[in-house]
Amino acid sequence: MVSSLLALPSTFSRLNLVQKSSIFIPFTFKALSLLEFHKQPRLRPFNYPLLHFPSSLNSPEAHFSTSRRPVSSKSFDDDLVVLGIETSCDDTAAAIVRGNGEILSQVVSSQADLLARYGGVAPKMAEEAHSQVIDQVVQDALDKASLTERELSAVAVTIGPGLSLCLRVGVQKARRVAGSFNLPIISVHHMEAHALVARLIEKELQFPFLALLISGGHNLLVLAHDLGHYTQLGTTIDDAIGEAFDKTAKWLGLDMRKSGGPAVEQLAQEGDAESVRFSIPMKQHKDCNFSYAGLKTQVKLAIASRNIDAKVPLSCASSLDRSSRADIAASFQRVAVLHLEERCERAVEWALKIEPSIKHLVM
């Protein structure tokens, strides 16, 4: 999936938007970006309302804020140390970050074996896996940072969106740590963190900027005006690109231990991306929304027409069968990314009308 995204510059270079190209795939760090959002005099309490991304838009764009009070860009003291916990889906992650953005440690426990066994994320199994490793993951993060809980300033935890059973494990752990050491809890919105994490690394990235957020369950195009102030330009109206990659990998009988994206991309390198004529979604819609349900249906029909049996692993497929699978993977990937390109091109035009000073696109 990463190199698929890196293939985008053919479109973006024509837009002359990005002076310094920055592409971020922040799954490991998504719980860490709280530092950017919470550069405020006080930490936000646990019951602070979630960032709201409307599921349907009555107007071309939706404006919303995540803060009840004015947000300051003043940096936290470097002595601030935050433990971040992330359990929104299939990886258990924890990290320690300073107020200046320095990442002291990060630990991730993968559920790759479960993904392979169930052909995707099984919420109850994922919850049990999180429960088994959460204590050790947090302890490892503290150990690698050479810190104890008593030296923490706060605990941050993802509270949504995500799988509720999985989110609960992280929230319960955050409450235990915070309760035992009298620490504030910072509630982190999963997608807002994706949008802001680039500022943790790229110090030159200033507001406003456009963000393309790509994950298993969500696609969003968001114009970030300032900390806590956003305009949603586009969202997923049915299936997100991650879901489409996972289903395509499963239907092609691929190894799911690394999830669908990497599996499809690896096979696609062997195929002809022009061999299967899939239609680009929503060509007739001049908005910034995403739709992958129709492309999934096209892929399923193409697989059926070539008599590909997902029960036969790729490693056992004949050379002809493997070639057919590779062609479908490559053709699907090309169209899936073209859909991203088209939506982004429209979003850039829209964003420049709202914020003419915008210079950066973050993925």
Side-chain angles (χ1 to χ4, degrees):
M1 185 64 186
V2 174
S3 63
S4 302
L5 294 174
L6 293 174
L8 292 177
S10 60
T11 294
F12 295 139
S13 61
R14 296 197 301 272
L15 305 176
N16 294 319
L17 178 71
V18 184
Q19 294 178 346
K20 178 182 178 183
S21 179
S22 300
I23 296 181
F24 301 93
I25 310 296
F27 295 104
T28 302
F29 298 110
K30 59 193 171 190
L32 311 182
S33 59
L34 56 102
L35 292 175
E36 272 304 327
F37 178 64
H38 295 283
K39 286 180 178 175
Q40 308 176 44
R42 295 177 56 195
L43 295 177
R44 186 169 61 175
F46 180 72
N47 61 355
Y48 202 93
L50 279 174
L51 168 64
H52 176 56
F53 289 102
S55 57
S56 61
L57 304 177
N58 296 321
S59 60
E61 60 203 39
H63 299 276
F64 43 89
S65 173
T66 59
S67 179
R68 292 173 176 170
R69 61 177 73 88
V71 179
S72 169
S73 295
K74 181 181 178 181
S75 295
F76 272 143
D77 191 291
D78 289 355
D79 291 338
L80 180 76
V81 179
V82 178
L83 163 66
I85 298 173
E86 151 63 18
T87 60
S88 64
C89 191
D90 58 332
D91 283 343
T92 311
I96 311 293
V97 186
R98 286 197 183 279
N100 63 3
E102 180 186 1
I103 301 169
L104 301 180
S105 69
Q106 54 178 323
V107 177
V108 179
S109 177
S110 173
Q111 296 185 9
D113 291 342
L114 285 178
L115 289 174
R117 189 185 312 166
Y118 294 101
V121 179
K124 185 60 181 175
M125 298 298 102
E127 178 198 20
E128 292 178 3
H130 283 305
S131 299
Q132 290 171 5
V133 301
I134 185 67
D135 290 339
Q136 190 61 53
V137 166
V138 170
Q139 188 59 52
D140 287 349
L142 289 165
D143 292 344
K144 289 186 176 182
S146 300
L147 295 173
T148 67
E149 289 93 335
R150 296 186 184 280
E151 296 173 273
L152 296 174
S153 307
V155 180
V157 61
T158 306
I159 61 172
L163 298 174
S164 58
L165 292 175
C166 298
L167 288 165
R168 181 170 61 186
V169 176
V171 170
Q172 289 174 343
K173 178 61 178 178
R175 284 176 167 165
R176 289 197 299 271
V177 175
S180 298
F181 297 92
N182 195 27
L183 300 171
I185 293 182
I186 304 170
S187 55
V188 178
H189 187 283
H190 181 152
M191 300 308 288
E192 183 180 23
H194 275 306
L196 295 180
V197 69
R199 285 172 56 83
L200 194 67
I201 302 166
E202 290 290 319
K203 305 303 181 183
E204 297 178 4
L205 177 61
Q206 299 297 321
F207 294 104
F209 62 85
L210 183 64
L212 169 63
L213 309 180
I214 308 168
S215 74
H218 305 276
N219 285 91
L220 287 172
L221 275 161
V222 176
L223 177 55
H225 302 277
D226 204 342
L227 298 175
H229 179 205
Y230 310 95
T231 298
Q232 177 180 288
L233 302 180
T235 187
T236 311
I237 64 172
D238 42 53
D239 295 328
I241 190 170
E243 159 71 10
F245 266 88
D246 282 346
K247 282 296 191 292
T248 297
K250 185 176 181 180
W251 295 334
L252 289 174
L254 306 186
D255 185 346
M256 294 290 289
R257 281 176 293 182
K258 293 183 179 180
S259 78
V264 171
E265 182 180 39
Q266 183 176 1
L267 180 61
Q269 293 174 1
E270 304 175 20
D272 178 0
E274 302 286 345
S275 61
V276 185
R277 305 304 297 176
F278 294 132
S279 300
I280 301 174
M282 300 183 70
K283 286 281 288 186
Q284 71 277 20
H285 296 277
K286 303 303 180 182
D287 57 29
C288 299
N289 291 327
F290 301 88
S291 170
Y292 282 94
L295 181 57
K296 281 172 52 182
T297 300
Q298 293 181 69
V299 170
K300 196 168 189 178
L301 291 173
I303 290 172
S305 69
R306 287 161 176 77
N307 297 316
I308 295 172
D309 186 357
K311 295 179 181 178
V312 178
L314 182 65
S315 58
C316 300
S318 66
S319 59
L320 181 61
D321 188 12
R322 184 184 183 95
S323 177
S324 294
R325 299 189 198 201
D327 286 345
I328 291 174
S331 300
F332 157 76
Q333 183 170 259
R334 182 184 71 86
V335 172
V337 175
L338 279 175
H339 185 36
L340 293 181
E341 288 191 20
E342 288 194 347
R343 301 293 95 180
C344 284
E345 188 167 359
R346 174 73 180 102
V348 168
E349 296 172 359
W350 202 347
L352 285 170
K353 292 179 181 178
I354 301 171
E355 293 275 10
S357 63
I358 191 170
K359 295 180 180 179
H360 294 94
L361 168 64
V362 175
M363 297 185 190

